[in-house]
């Protein structure tokens, strides 16, 4: 019985650690996505200005 309880406690600890790791990964992912958006945003605006006379190119770029 003691072995089963110890195994359950170990599994619970591992699960809690995995939850914490997942939360940390989500926060890191959000930070990277925000940095990417900060980088790409000005590029998109520049492309819109540069291609204002070529709406077909804007369509190909997804803008």
């Amino acid at each position: 019985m003691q072995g089963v309880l110890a195994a359950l406690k170990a599994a619970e600890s591992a699960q809690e650690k995995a939850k914490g790791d997942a939360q940390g990964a989500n926060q890191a992912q959000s930070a990277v996505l925000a940095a990417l958006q900060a980088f790409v945003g000005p590029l998109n605006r520049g492309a819109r200005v540069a291609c204002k006379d070529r709406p077909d190119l804007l369509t190909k770029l997804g803008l």
Side-chain angles (χ1 to χ4, degrees):
M1 187 67 165
Q2 289 287 13
V4 173
L5 290 176
L8 285 173
K9 286 182 181 181
E12 183 180 12
S13 293
Q15 182 181 23
E16 291 300 319
K17 182 183 180 314
K19 284 181 187 178
D21 292 345
Q23 288 174 347
N26 285 342
Q27 290 173 352
Q29 181 184 33
S30 294
V32 170
L33 287 174
L36 179 63
Q37 181 58 38
F39 177 78
V40 172
L43 295 176
N44 285 343
R45 288 189 290 277
R48 284 191 190 102
V49 170
C51 298
K52 66 182 175 187
D53 296 332
R54 296 284 310 269
D56 59 315
L57 292 178
L58 290 174
T59 302
K60 284 183 181 180
L61 291 172
L63 301 174

